[in-house]
């Protein structure tokens, strides 16, 4: 089908489509024999993150609002029962079959060659997409050996795993109702995020128990998903995840927006206020270790003229996807070096070092005694 025919369904005319391509609001992407259009800036009804393909439109994965106070947040948001799931700390992908090939799209609508390479390890893609043409499986890739995230769930000890949490359908801007989703996850034996079941919104003690368990296990948090589609999906994170986010990001504090840290400190304070009711002295040390120690260590490295690095290992099934991933990282403006490539068992193991030059340069200037007005 012509792309004009596809976008006509959402009220985008041929001239409007052509203009958005000329303005680079929509960008043509190729992957092997597949051609798609990545929406980089809203066009008509298509939000950033949507993908236009010959097989139809894959709508963006919507942003999820956060509550900072569990009890009051639930009270304000819901009148009907909700399902609760673990919030798995990884990166978001939408899996679809395009022109006969299975592809994994990132939140920003890029084709991720690494996730595309590995998805067959986790899903029976042939059966799922043969029996459900037009289905889009949304989920999280998570684990220590991934290209994007430093943090990962504590129970994924190596490599990555895939956790499905949502289902969409081509050309439809919304997801399938939650109970239908769970049914399909089970029929196709898809690995999913942990599901804690259905709660009445008045069962605050039950929900607090879930938070306590997630906290103890070192998990990121939870998603609260309504049965009533008119109510909102919300996210709520654990205290530990606020400190872990701060700790892994603080080495690059010099180049980050300060809101990244202040938002997490406010979340942490609210969580302590709601669940612990008092500030224990060990929390002061924990915050100092998360916030101050990593940037102190970065300064020490820069003083030795060492560039700050983040190393990661990726396992690929197909050798051709290694170069595709390298090209993808260049396209995303990541500065990196490939350290090694070797065949180990069924996979190609490729080691990367991401180079954090921006922090290095800022800290070097400070250390060198340059002036600046702040
Ligand atoms: P946002 O743009 O929604 O603020 P973000 O990139 O800042 O997203 P988070 O704040 O971490 O991400 O939370 C939303 C993300 O959580 C989702 O995009 C999804 O990838 C991830 N996630 C993990 N577990 C689940 C789950 N069970 N259900 C839905 N999303 C989940």
């Amino acid at each position: 089908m012509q792309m004009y025919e596809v976008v006509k369904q959402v009220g985008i005319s041929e001239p409007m489509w052509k203009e958005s391509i000329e303005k680079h609001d929509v960008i043509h992407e190729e992957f092997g024999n597949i051609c798609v259009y990545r929406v980089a800036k809203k066009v008509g009804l298509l939000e950033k993150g949507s993908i236009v393909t010959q097989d139809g439109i894959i709508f963006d994965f919507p942003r999820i609002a956060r509550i900072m106070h569990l009890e009051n947040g639930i009270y304000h948001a819901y009148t009907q029962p909700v399902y609760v799931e673990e919030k798995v700390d990884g990166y978001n992908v939408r899996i679809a079959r395009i022109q006969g090939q299975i592809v994994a799209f990132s939140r920003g609508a890029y084709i991720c060659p690494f996730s595309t390479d590995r998805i067959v390890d986790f899903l029976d893609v042939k059966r799922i997409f043969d029996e459900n043409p037009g289905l889009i499986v949304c989920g999280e890739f998570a684990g220590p050996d991934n290209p994007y995230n430093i943090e990962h769930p504590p129970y994924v000890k190596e490599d990555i795993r895939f956790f499905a949490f949502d289902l969409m359908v081509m050309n439809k801007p919304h997801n399938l109702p939650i109970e239908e989703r769970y049914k399909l996850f089970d029929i196709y034996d898809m690995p999913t995020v942990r599901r804690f079941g259905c709660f009445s919104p008045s069962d605050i003690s039950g929900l607090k128990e879930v938070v306590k368990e997630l906290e103890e296990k070192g998990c990121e948090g939870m998603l609260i998903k309504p049965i009533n589609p008119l109510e909102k999906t919300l996210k709520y994170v654990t205290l530990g995840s606020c400190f872990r986010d701060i700790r892994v990001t603080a080495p690059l504090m010099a180049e980050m927006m300060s809101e990244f840290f202040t938002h997490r400190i406010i979340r942490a304070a609210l969580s302590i206020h709601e669940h612990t009711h008092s500030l224990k002295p060990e929390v002061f040390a924990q915050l100092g270790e998360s916030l101050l120690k990593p940037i102190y260590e970065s300064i020490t490295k820069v003083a030795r003229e060492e560039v700050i690095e983040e190393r990661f290992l990726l396992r690929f099934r197909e050798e051709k996807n290694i170069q595709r991933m390298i090209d993808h990282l260049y396209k995303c403006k990541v500065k990196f070096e490939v350290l090694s490539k070797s065949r180990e068992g069924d996979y190609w193991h490729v080691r990367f070092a991401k180079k954090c030059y921006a922090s290095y340069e800022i800290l070097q200037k400070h250390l060198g005694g340059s002036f600046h007005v702040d």
Side-chain angles (χ1 to χ4, degrees), residues 120-137:
V120 290
D121 287 342
F122 307 101
L123 295 181
D124 183 353
V125 288
K126 183 164 185 337
R127 191 171 155 236
I128 294 171
F129 293 100
D130 278 356
E131 292 177 17
N132 303 275
L135 191 73
I136 300 154
V137 181

Side-chain angles (χ1 to χ4, degrees), residues 216-252:
E216 283 164 6
K217 293 204 162 128
C219 299
E220 190 191 6
M222 68 193 202
L223 265 291
I224 308 140
K225 301 189 172 178
I227 290 182
N228 178 353
L230 298 175
E231 295 184 333
K232 254 184 167 336
T233 291
L234 294 171
K235 61 191 178 197
Y236 181 76
V237 294
T238 56
L239 173 63
S241 91
C242 300
F243 287 127
R244 286 190 295 275
D245 276 3
I246 293 173
R247 196 179 58 234
V248 303
T249 314
L252 306 180

Side-chain angles (χ1 to χ4, degrees), residues 39-68:
V39 179
K41 202 167 156 201
K42 187 171 166 45
V43 183
L45 293 175
L46 296 181
E47 296 285 345
K48 176 179 174 192
S50 307
I51 302 130
V52 179
T53 77
Q54 283 179 14
D55 299 62
I57 297 168
I58 299 175
F59 279 85
D60 60 299
F61 188 86
R63 300 206 61 192
I64 298 172
R66 180 189 306 283
I67 50 171
M68 314 264 268

Side-chain angles (χ1 to χ4, degrees), residues 63-64 85-88 92 107 140 223 225 235:
R63 300 206 61 192
I64 298 172
E85 295 175 1
E86 180 186 335
K87 182 175 194 302
V88 171
N92 182 299
R107 192 87 188 272
E140 202 84 347
L223 265 291
K225 301 189 172 178
K235 61 191 178 197

